[in-house]
Amino acid sequence: WCSMSAGYASAISFTAAGIAVGASLASLAYNTFRIAERQGSDLMMAETTAQKLETAAQKLEEIYAAAVADLSAVRQELTATAELRQALEQATAIKLKGELQAPSTAAAFPVNVEQSLAKQDTAAEAAAEAAADEAAVAEAATEAAAADAEAALHARCDSLFVEQAFAPLLETLTAALSSGRGAPEQLLWRAARACKKLAEAEDPKSEVRMEHLRDGLEYATRALEAAPELGAAHKWYAILLGTRPGSTADKIKSSFAVKQHFDRAAELDPADPTSRHLVGLWCYEVARLSWLERKAASALFASPPEATYQEAYTHLSHAERLEPGFYANNRLLLAKCCSEMGQRQEARDWLAECLAMEPRDADDRKALQEAAKLRY
């Protein structure tokens, strides 16, 4: 860089000197002709002087042309060197990987660098897109695997319930809850259901039964807190709330909450016959309260629970339409409602359909035993 600058300065200095000499010679020629004209000097001497001046002027033009050429070359070299330096600094700044193709000329080098950088950017973008696609595929696969595992867990739990293996079912559910597998609300309401079934197998006054019911209500409460819009959570919370021991006033008070959660369960899961059956059962139990019980309820509450056999029949028949024969007790209650409303023939028809069912669990066996004792 220093040698380049020195050459540049020398060329400029040389040009200035040439221009100064030319100016002096021109001034000399002018004065000579003026003297010859004014004093009548020898013409030959003037011509000789003019020839010398012409020769000197030609040499001056040659010197000037050479200086201009040198100056132009210096400028081109400086420009090419600056471009080369800029390209090298750019390549170093971005830490260009790989070997760059050597340029054939200084001017071609920046073009090659730009092309290499463009190719590298394109490759980087393609690699980023490929990595993003791979990440998305991996995430989708993980989610699908988790969903499959959760579905398999639910299927296993429901299979144990159908097999009435309630103790292994509860163990499976508590283990899954402890490990954090699956949606907790789906496990919690199933655990509440398992506790209710385990309680039914115990003596009505045993502490083990009460412990199962307390655990079941706790599971149901947690399920409802985790998923307020889950019909199964409302259903099993209401079922276990209705089994809680207490005074007559406590039971009447809790009956309002029980009805609200049964209604909500039927609203959230309109295709579930059990939820609709439970609304009908609540109406039936309230409709059959004795006069004394109604008076006691009126004394305790300004607006005691009210329902009719017709309301109970409407909900129970709705449940039967959703899934005919899903529950022996539903047909038994339909027979009882019809009997209370004086519809004897329809009561006998429902009773016959109930007795024609094959029992699938303890609830069905209990309903069939009671139906066999009825005469309409």
Side-chain angles (χ1 to χ4, degrees):
W1 284 96
C2 292
S3 62
M4 294 294 179
S5 300
Y8 200 157
S10 177
I12 294 173
S13 176
F14 184 75
T15 303
I19 293 171
V21 171
S24 298
L25 292 172
S27 177
L28 177 60
Y30 176 79
N31 292 331
T32 301
F33 278 105
R34 292 288 295 171
I35 291 169
E37 181 182 5
R38 186 172 58 249
Q39 299 179 354
S41 300
D42 190 356
L43 181 59
M44 181 65 70
M45 182 182 295
E47 289 178 353
T48 301
T49 303
Q51 289 176 357
K52 292 180 179 179
L53 289 173
E54 184 178 358
T55 302
Q58 291 177 353
K59 290 183 178 180
L60 179 60
E61 289 179 359
E62 292 174 358
I63 292 171
Y64 180 78
V68 171
D70 291 341
L71 181 59
S72 177
V74 170
R75 285 177 176 173
Q76 291 178 359
E77 188 172 2
L78 286 173
T79 302
T81 303
E83 292 176 351
L84 179 61
R85 182 181 179 87
Q86 183 181 4
L88 289 172
E89 288 177 349
Q90 183 181 10
T92 301
I94 64 174
K95 297 181 179 178
L96 183 62
K97 296 180 180 179
E99 295 184 356
L100 297 175
Q101 182 179 358
S104 57
T105 63
F109 184 71
V111 177
N112 291 336
V113 171
E114 184 176 355
Q115 291 175 349
S116 298
L117 293 177
K119 290 180 180 179
Q120 193 172 48
D121 289 343
T122 302
E125 291 176 359
E129 291 178 358
D133 292 341
E134 290 179 1
V137 171
E139 184 178 359
T142 301
E143 292 177 354
D148 290 343
E150 185 173 356
L153 175 61
H154 294 167
R156 172 59 178 162
C157 291
D158 293 342
S159 177
L160 289 172
F161 181 80
V162 172
E163 296 169 5
Q164 301 182 42
F166 302 127
L169 169 59
L170 187 58
E171 292 177 2
T172 301
L173 289 166
T174 53
L177 285 167
S178 299
S179 64
R181 290 186 294 145
E185 64 274 12
Q186 293 293 340
L187 303 176
L188 288 166
W189 76 258
R190 286 177 168 86
R193 180 179 64 175
C195 288
K196 175 63 166 61
K197 291 300 181 180
L198 288 170
E200 291 175 355
E202 301 294 334
D203 184 89
K205 297 182 180 181
S206 70
E207 181 58 30
V208 176
R209 174 186 173 87
M210 298 308 299
E211 183 178 354
H212 283 315
L213 292 176
R214 284 194 297 269
D215 290 345
L217 183 58
E218 181 181 350
Y219 283 128
T221 302
R222 290 169 57 190
L224 196 57
E225 291 173 350
E229 301 301 311
L230 182 62
H234 284 274
K235 177 171 67 177
W236 286 100
Y237 176 80
I239 290 172
L240 286 154
L241 184 63
T243 63
R244 190 168 58 179
S247 64
T248 301
D250 291 336
K251 288 183 176 295
I252 294 174
K253 183 178 180 180
S254 64
S255 70
F256 291 101
V258 169
K259 176 62 161 50
Q260 289 176 352
H261 286 286
F262 281 156
D263 285 339
R264 186 61 175 152
E267 178 184 355
L268 291 171
D269 195 357
D272 178 28
T274 305
S275 296
R276 186 60 59 181
H277 163 82
L278 291 169
V279 178
L281 175 61
W282 187 93
C283 292
Y284 175 81
E285 293 294 342
V286 171
R288 65 190 291 266
L289 288 175
S290 65
W291 178 86
L292 185 60
E293 289 171 327
R294 292 178 186 277
K295 284 295 182 181
S298 298
L300 293 171
F301 301 95
S303 300
E306 295 182 357
T308 65
Y309 289 114
Q310 182 58 55
E311 289 175 318
Y313 177 87
T314 299
H315 291 293
L316 294 169
S317 59
H318 185 177
E320 192 67 26
R321 288 193 301 273
L322 289 173
E323 187 178 336
F326 76 99
Y327 192 30
N329 194 46
N330 195 70
R331 290 181 173 180
L332 176 60
L333 289 174
L334 281 167
K336 289 181 176 182
C337 287
C338 289
S339 177
E340 293 292 341
M341 292 187 295
Q343 300 170 1
R344 296 294 180 176
Q345 184 56 51
E346 189 173 356
R348 286 192 288 269
D349 293 340
W350 281 118
L351 188 61
E353 290 194 37
C354 176
L355 291 170
M357 294 179 61
E358 291 292 332
R360 290 174 290 189
D361 54 25
D363 286 344
D364 280 351
R365 286 190 289 272
K366 182 179 178 180
L368 291 172
Q369 289 173 1
E370 184 178 355
K373 298 176 183 179
L374 296 177
R375 296 291 183 272
Y376 293 136

